[in-house]
Amino acid sequence: MDMTEVFWKRGLLRAAVVTIVAMAVGFAFFRSLIFIPTMKASQFMISGVTAGIAYAAWRGTSLRQGIVPLFLWYLVLMFLVEDFNSWLPVLDGAYIVGIAGAVWLYLYAVRASMVRGWMQRVAAAAVLIALANGLIVVVLAAVSVPSLLLKGQFLHDTVFWNMQIGTLIGLAVGWGFECAEYLTARFLPEGVEAAGSATPDDRDGE
């Protein structure tokens, strides 16, 4: 099999597995609400796809090249909501940047051996995505004039709730990362990885 073909198949497999696991966990808790972009439960779908794309791109290539598929996914999101409004691009952009950033930090921690073993990796994914979800609310509140009024308990509760659901999404995504690496090593063991990226041997504990 051509090495370039294997490279792309690895990326598609990783993205698909992470997305499927995240959406499966979301569906178990919120059913079909995860497929309605205007519902909060849709974070499982949006964040799952975002994390899948970011992980697949940055696991096997450079940071700059990973931005392209994420931007294409951002454009797709613009067409998923029938009632388009000026706030939608800001909202979707914040979530894509936040979740993708958490995935990048996760990969950095793995490559730097800051986390070891699958349990630590899954926990790290949960913590980073939970923090990203909380930070997203703070950023959105700061850039939205109406949200500036959401001070005190309401803003606190919103951040706390977003971090809760972010933790669950992070656990699902973390499991997705592990499943993706297992399946990649099992079915697509040959291929090329960009210089400096983590390899299956770097993921100790297997």
Side-chain angles (χ1 to χ4, degrees):
M1 185 181 293
D2 181 77
M3 297 187 78
T4 301
E5 182 181 353
V6 174
F7 177 82
W8 284 105
K9 284 186 175 181
R10 282 183 163 214
L12 290 174
L13 179 60
R14 284 168 173 151
V17 171
V18 173
T19 299
I20 290 171
V21 172
M23 292 178 65
V25 172
F27 187 81
F29 284 91
F30 299 100
R31 301 300 177 184
S32 60
L33 292 179
I34 68 170
F35 300 110
I36 304 175
T38 54
M39 302 298 293
K40 291 182 178 180
S42 67
Q43 286 188 44
F44 282 91
M45 184 268 290
I46 296 173
S47 296
V49 175
T50 301
I53 293 174
Y55 182 76
W58 295 333
R59 175 64 172 76
T61 187
S62 67
L63 176 63
R64 183 176 59 183
Q65 289 174 311
I67 293 175
V68 176
L70 286 170
F71 180 70
L72 293 177
W73 167 234
Y74 172 73
L75 296 179
V76 169
L77 281 178
M78 297 298 100
F79 296 97
L80 292 181
V81 177
E82 295 182 1
D83 299 325
F84 185 87
N85 59 75
S86 59
W87 179 242
L88 184 63
V90 177
L91 182 65
D92 288 339
Y95 272 94
I96 289 178
V97 171
I99 299 302
V103 173
W104 186 87
L105 289 174
Y106 166 86
L107 285 170
Y108 178 83
V110 170
R111 290 166 179 165
S113 298
M114 295 179 182
V115 290
R116 297 178 178 274
W118 67 269
M119 292 184 67
Q120 288 188 14
R121 291 194 294 267
V122 172
V127 170
L128 288 171
I129 290 183
L131 291 174
N133 256 31
L135 182 61
I136 287 168
V137 173
V138 175
V139 171
L140 290 175
V143 301
S144 172
V145 175
S147 294
L148 289 176
L149 302 178
L150 303 181
K151 299 179 181 179
Q153 191 63 37
F154 186 85
L155 181 58
H156 174 272
D157 291 345
T158 303
V159 171
F160 183 70
W161 185 91
N162 227 40
M163 290 184 69
Q164 283 183 311
I165 197 171
T167 301
L168 186 57
I169 293 171
L171 288 171
V173 165
W175 274 110
F177 294 160
E178 297 300 312
C179 292
E181 289 309 311
Y182 171 80
L183 293 174
T184 299
R186 177 69 175 81
F187 296 105
L188 295 170
E190 298 179 1
V192 292
E193 299 288 354
S197 66
T199 64
D201 292 336
D202 295 328
R203 302 173 69 84
D204 56 287
E206 283 80 19

